[in-house]
Amino acid sequence: ILSRYRNRCRMEQEGGNGRLFFRGLQNRSHEKMKLRKRKSTLYLSPPNSSERSGDLLGENIYLVLFTIALRICNCFLVQTSFVPDEYWQSLEVAHHMVFNNYGYLTWEWTERLRGYTYPLIFASIYKILHLLGKDSVQLLIWIPRLAQALLSAVADIRLYSLMKQLENQQMAKWVFFCQLCSWFTWYCCTRTLTNTMETVLTIIALFYYPLEGSKSMNSVKYSSLVALAFIIRPTAVIPWIPLVFRHFWQEQKKLDLILYQFLPIGFITLSLSLIIDRVFFGQWTLVQYNFLKFNVLQNLGTFYGSHPWHWYFSQGFPAVLGTHLPFFIHGCFLAPKRYRILLVTVLWTLLVYSMLSHKEFRFIYPVLPFCMVFCGYSLNHLKTWKKPALSFLFLSNMLLAFYTGLVHQRGTLDVMTHIQELCYNNPNISSASVFIMMPCHSTPYYSHVHYPLPMRFLQCPPDLTGKSQYLDEADIFYLNPLNWLYREFHNDSTLPTHLIIFSILEEEISAFLISSSYERTAVFFHTHLPEGRTGSHIYVYERKLKRKLNKLKFS
């Protein structure tokens, strides 16, 4: 009996251990199945898949659409003129290329100082509109500007993406904010200036430049964009000299970089430029050399004005940065050493342009986005005063942006709208003619009229022959406007039907206006800050022939 009891206890114990053993196996297998299932779930549906499906240009689609929408609004809220090159070196040339039965090319094109690569972009747009039968004057004005606005939006997004790679999303947000609320960027980024395209290409090229920490570096892409910028505007190479030198210095395979990247890309882009200019000039021309020779070697740009050497440091750069300036200075002390090359690029560009006598705000526009990096660092490190600083930065820049974009120097565009109405709403347009008696290139021309209306303006080509005491047509006119008009229009049959003048000239030529039966028919506000030959308003005078004939019959 005792032996049976012991055998039973032993069997129960072994059975219990067996059940525990099998339960343990089941639990382990169940855990393994759970782990495998969890692992497969992570593998099949990554957490970022929903974000990636909504990406555009490598960023969140809502950010991209917001930036594009902002720049489109930016485009329509800039209704003022800045500098003549906005029209005369882009849209006027493109209009002449497509509608060559009427148009005008300035002396730069007869001297082959400019290349057709940049105007060809707008000429292509004009040609498409013409083929579709949609070449209305409003589309010819706004479609090129909208195209430039879209390119500027892409550049803004690339700057944001670059900073997110180099730092983090928080830092990228502040740099992006500084870029979008910059008054000078707002003022220029939708204009059809070569400087605007130069800036766009510079930002996108910087996205591919081998900066420490960048995940998008690509030597071929960035050097191609730099080469294209040089073709469009040769001075675009100035900011890239320290950047390219740094890349070459840090590159281990220096010979390969030159032989397999820089030289082939330079050869291809320069060959493309030569072919394009050969087609339109009718002869082989290296316009980049002619441009640098005129502006740098011969320094003939002083014909259009000169400034002291310190102008960019004392006036130009502070004005372009505006209220960003204190944040830029603060950010220079905070930014890591790897951004020192960007600061060197800014200072180098200012120094090089300071050596040229002729200076303009737009020349240093391409390095303005570099400055936004340091402004973003400043905002990121502010703690107590961050909200007041953001409010101050936003409001001050928007006030400047809206004033310069909607008020300052708007008359020269408004008067072209008046001429458009004259062309398309006047039954007697066949006998009409316009003489713009203002500083040369004050207004756009046929690109903003798109009608073969006889028009004339005061010429101002520089002296290319070395004559002493050279005066252009505009200078001669302003020495004695009244005598010039009587001498030029000694025969009534040669008088234009419409004269366009600045208000400052009205009193001086009033005798001619009265004797030639001109009456003021329109007034347009231009600026609150008139200076020199530029008045606060623009007057349109029309010759009233019927009234003069009635007076003659009565007498």
Side-chain angles (χ1 to χ4, degrees):
I1 292 171
L2 185 61
S3 64
R4 287 179 182 177
Y5 177 75
R6 288 175 179 174
N7 289 336
R8 186 181 296 175
C9 290
R10 190 182 298 114
M11 289 175 66
E12 288 178 358
Q13 186 177 2
E14 290 176 355
N17 291 337
R19 283 194 297 272
L20 290 172
F21 175 74
F22 283 116
R23 285 176 186 173
L25 288 176
Q26 288 177 357
N27 290 335
R28 289 178 184 176
S29 64
H30 185 62
E31 288 177 0
K32 288 181 179 179
M33 287 178 66
K34 282 186 177 179
L35 287 172
R36 283 198 298 270
K37 186 177 180 181
R38 195 176 295 131
K39 184 178 179 181
S40 63
T41 302
L42 288 170
Y43 178 76
L44 292 174
S45 57
N48 295 328
S49 61
S50 60
E51 295 179 6
R52 289 176 184 173
S53 63
D55 280 359
L56 187 65
L57 293 174
E59 291 300 334
N60 184 279
I61 190 170
Y62 297 108
L63 175 72
V64 175
L65 293 178
F66 166 76
T67 309
I68 292 174
L70 180 68
R71 288 308 179 201
I72 290 174
C73 293
N74 186 173
C75 178
F76 289 110
L77 290 175
V78 174
Q79 302 173 16
T80 56
S81 61
F82 181 23
V83 290
D85 280 7
E86 180 180 353
Y87 318 106
W88 291 90
Q89 307 303 341
S90 55
L91 300 185
E92 295 300 332
V93 181
H95 192 276
H96 185 270
M97 292 165 71
V98 178
F99 310 101
N100 55 9
N101 56 331
Y102 60 99
Y104 188 88
L105 294 179
T106 59
W107 64 271
E108 289 100 328
W109 298 91
T110 57
E111 296 294 328
R112 299 191 296 279
L113 297 180
R114 303 278 184 171
Y116 280 95
T117 304
Y118 183 59
L120 185 60
I121 299 171
F122 304 117
S124 303
I125 296 173
Y126 284 178
K127 190 65 177 179
I128 292 170
L129 291 174
H130 178 63
L131 292 174
L132 295 175
K134 301 295 183 180
D135 55 326
S136 66
V137 63
Q138 292 302 322
L139 288 180
L140 294 183
I141 292 171
W142 289 105
I143 294 296
R145 289 200 55 196
L146 284 170
Q148 193 70 66
L150 291 175
L151 290 173
S152 295
V154 171
D156 294 335
I157 295 162
R158 284 298 185 224
L159 182 62
Y160 173 83
S161 301
L162 176 63
M163 293 312 301
K164 193 168 71 170
Q165 291 177 18
L166 298 176
E167 298 293 337
N168 51 55
Q169 192 168 6
Q170 182 75 7
M171 182 66 197
K173 180 179 70 175
W174 296 124
V175 174
F176 190 63
F177 171 80
C178 292
Q179 171 73 1
L180 293 187
C181 79
S182 167
W183 82 270
F184 196 76
T185 299
W186 178 278
Y187 187 55
C188 292
C189 73
T190 64
R191 298 184 184 273
T192 52
L193 282 164
T194 53
N195 308 91
T196 302
M197 183 61 78
E198 176 189 353
T199 305
V200 166
L201 294 174
T202 296
I203 297 174
I204 301 175
L206 189 66
F207 177 75
Y208 296 108
Y209 179 78
L211 281 171
E212 181 185 349
S214 175
K215 300 174 183 177
S216 56
M217 58 182 67
N218 188 312
S219 298
V220 174
K221 289 184 178 180
Y222 103 77
S223 52
S224 299
L225 291 166
V226 172
L228 180 59
F230 172 74
I231 294 302
I232 290 175
R233 187 173 179 83
T235 52
V237 75
I238 293 174
W240 282 99
I241 289 175
L243 288 164
V244 172
F245 180 77
R246 174 187 175 273
H247 179 201
F248 177 77
W249 184 262
Q250 294 183 343
E251 180 65 38
Q252 294 180 352
K253 299 179 180 179
K254 293 180 172 55
L255 189 60
D256 289 349
L257 182 67
I258 295 174
L259 293 179
Y260 300 115
Q261 292 186 28
F262 289 168
L263 286 180
I265 291 170
F267 176 77
I268 292 171
T269 52
L270 192 60
S271 299
L272 182 63
S273 172
L274 283 169
I275 293 170
I276 292 172
D277 292 330
R278 173 69 176 82
V279 170
F280 292 101
F281 280 123
Q283 56 183 305
W284 293 107
T285 306
L286 189 61
V287 294
Q288 290 76 26
Y289 170 74
N290 294 340
F291 181 88
L292 292 173
K293 179 183 176 182
F294 178 86
N295 289 285
V296 179
L297 300 179
Q298 297 178 340
N299 202 22
L300 292 176
T302 54
F303 181 79
Y304 295 107
S306 60
H307 300 81
W309 69 267
H310 56 78
W311 185 82
Y312 281 118
F313 293 96
S314 59
Q315 299 179 49
F317 188 63
V320 168
L321 269 179
T323 52
H324 282 76
L325 182 60
F327 299 96
F328 168 73
I329 296 172
H330 181 225
C332 289
F333 293 100
L334 296 174
K337 290 183 178 179
R338 62 177 169 177
Y339 295 109
R340 191 176 294 170
I341 183 61
L342 300 183
L343 182 59
V344 169
T345 301
V346 173
L347 294 175
W348 161 264
T349 304
L350 294 176
L351 285 171
V352 172
Y353 277 118
S354 295
M355 290 187 286
L356 300 176
S357 298
H358 181 60
K359 299 175 176 65
E360 294 186 37
F361 294 109
R362 61 190 175 102
F363 291 169
I364 58 173
Y365 176 38
V367 297
L368 185 58
F370 291 40
C371 302
M372 297 301 109
V373 174
F374 299 97
C375 295
Y377 255 98
S378 175
L379 290 178
N380 191 49
H381 283 76
L382 289 180
K383 302 299 180 185
T384 308
W385 297 94
K386 180 169 286 188
K387 287 185 178 179
L390 291 174
S391 301
F392 166 73
L393 200 59
F394 177 77
L395 292 175
S396 60
N397 277 274
M398 285 303 99
L399 286 173
L400 272 172
F402 287 135
Y403 178 76
T404 56
L406 294 172
V407 180
H408 181 59
Q409 294 185 351
R410 66 168 298 132
T412 50
L413 294 183
D414 290 340
V415 77
M416 298 310 290
T417 303
H418 180 76
I419 295 176
Q420 294 167 20
E421 296 171 356
L422 173 70
C423 293
Y424 295 101
N425 300 329
N426 192 342
N428 299 320
I429 187 60
S430 58
S431 60
S433 59
V434 175
F435 185 19
I436 303 171
M437 294 192 301
M438 301 160 73
C440 65
H441 308 130
S442 292
T443 65
Y445 216 47
Y446 283 108
S447 66
H448 282 57
V449 176
H450 194 51
Y451 192 92
L453 174 72
M455 293 197 295
R456 178 184 172 185
F457 65 94
L458 297 170
Q459 305 284 333
C460 59
D463 176 31
L464 301 175
T465 60
K467 294 180 181 178
S468 59
Q469 304 299 320
Y470 171 78
L471 294 175
D472 58 42
E473 184 181 38
D475 289 333
I476 297 172
F477 169 80
Y478 280 103
L479 283 176
N480 196 327
L482 191 60
N483 287 345
W484 189 95
L485 287 169
Y486 280 125
R487 186 171 63 253
E488 186 74 13
F489 301 110
H490 56 275
N491 189 345
D492 282 359
S493 61
T494 60
L495 284 169
T497 59
H498 293 77
L499 299 178
I500 300 175
I501 64 171
F502 275 122
S503 53
I504 197 171
L505 188 65
E506 182 185 42
E507 185 177 353
E508 199 166 353
I509 63 169
S510 58
F512 172 82
L513 297 173
I514 294 170
S515 63
S516 301
S517 302
Y518 283 102
E519 291 185 6
R520 190 200 300 172
T521 56
V523 178
F524 300 97
F525 169 79
H526 183 61
T527 179
H528 291 111
L529 305 170
E531 60 177 354
R533 299 170 179 176
T534 303
S536 60
H537 291 75
I538 294 175
Y539 296 157
V540 178
Y541 275 84
E542 184 177 351
R543 194 164 184 239
K544 303 296 183 180
L545 297 176
K546 291 182 180 179
R547 184 173 297 181
K548 185 174 182 179
L549 289 173
N550 290 335
K551 286 183 179 179
L552 290 172
K553 288 179 181 179
F554 180 78
S555 60

